[in-house]
Amino acid sequence: MATTRTLVLMRHGKSGYPDGVPDHERPLAARGHREAGLAGAWISEHVGSVDAVLCSTALRTRETLAATGLSDAPTRFERDIYGGSADEIIDEIRLADTYFDDVTVSTLLVVGHEPGIPWTALELAADDDTDLAREVRHRFPTSAIAVLTTESSWAEVAAGTATITEFCIPRAEETRPES
């Protein structure tokens, strides 16, 4: 019987641009903290618990993960996700069972950057011409989340082995109850 795995691909929250700070060390802006918190709440509500996290080593991704409230899951920080291509990020995903060998990873969260994160979603869902894939292709702003499912093991994920099932751009105005 095939096991469905869930991959949550998230771009870091809105970052600040302090003078003289190298790109890798840029922190989140106040808006980035707020929207990362909204993203974490959305993930908890729509995806459920996260079993493990792969996160870029950049300060803004580490702060994003902390702001989501999902940092209780076992986490591995990987430099290759920072500036990584879709192929490099997929290579990291393929190592999930090795990295987290003491945990059954059914749901994996990857926190990274643009263009690597949206390109990874589109590569894994190759030939997907759904509205969700078109949305991901059109824009993937800060704190955006693409949720994919796959029947492949983490070690076997490859182009065309996943389906984009949800896409969210968490913003305060989109999460307020209607009056």
Side-chain angles (χ1 to χ4, degrees), residues 10-134:
M10 180 180 177
R11 184 177 173 199
H12 64 78
K14 179 72 175 164
S15 59
Y17 292 88
D19 288 339
V21 174
D23 183 75
H24 191 268
E25 300 309 315
R26 285 192 296 122
L28 285 183
R31 181 179 124 196
H33 282 282
R34 278 191 313 277
E35 291 174 355
L38 294 171
W42 186 90
I43 291 168
S44 293
E45 182 179 335
H46 291 88
V47 177
S49 63
V50 170
D51 300 312
V53 179
L54 292 173
C55 184
S56 161
T57 55
L59 178 59
R60 61 191 175 275
T61 55
R62 292 181 282 135
E63 289 183 345
T64 295
L65 176 59
T68 64
L70 303 171
S71 56
D72 289 344
T75 301
R76 184 169 174 107
F77 297 95
E78 286 297 326
R79 179 83 182 189
D80 284 350
I81 297 172
Y82 173 73
S85 67
D87 288 340
E88 290 167 317
I89 295 170
I90 291 168
D91 285 346
E92 291 299 324
I93 293 166
R94 286 184 185 131
L95 293 170
D97 287 330
T98 302
Y99 290 154
F100 306 106
D101 62 353
D102 57 338
V103 176
T104 300
V105 181
S106 296
T107 302
L108 177 66
L109 169 63
V110 180
V111 183
H113 309 266
E114 187 191 41
I117 289 295
W119 287 354
T120 299
L122 294 169
E123 179 74 13
L124 291 173
D127 300 324
D128 187 346
D129 195 33
T130 63
D131 288 343
L132 291 174
R134 284 190 289 277

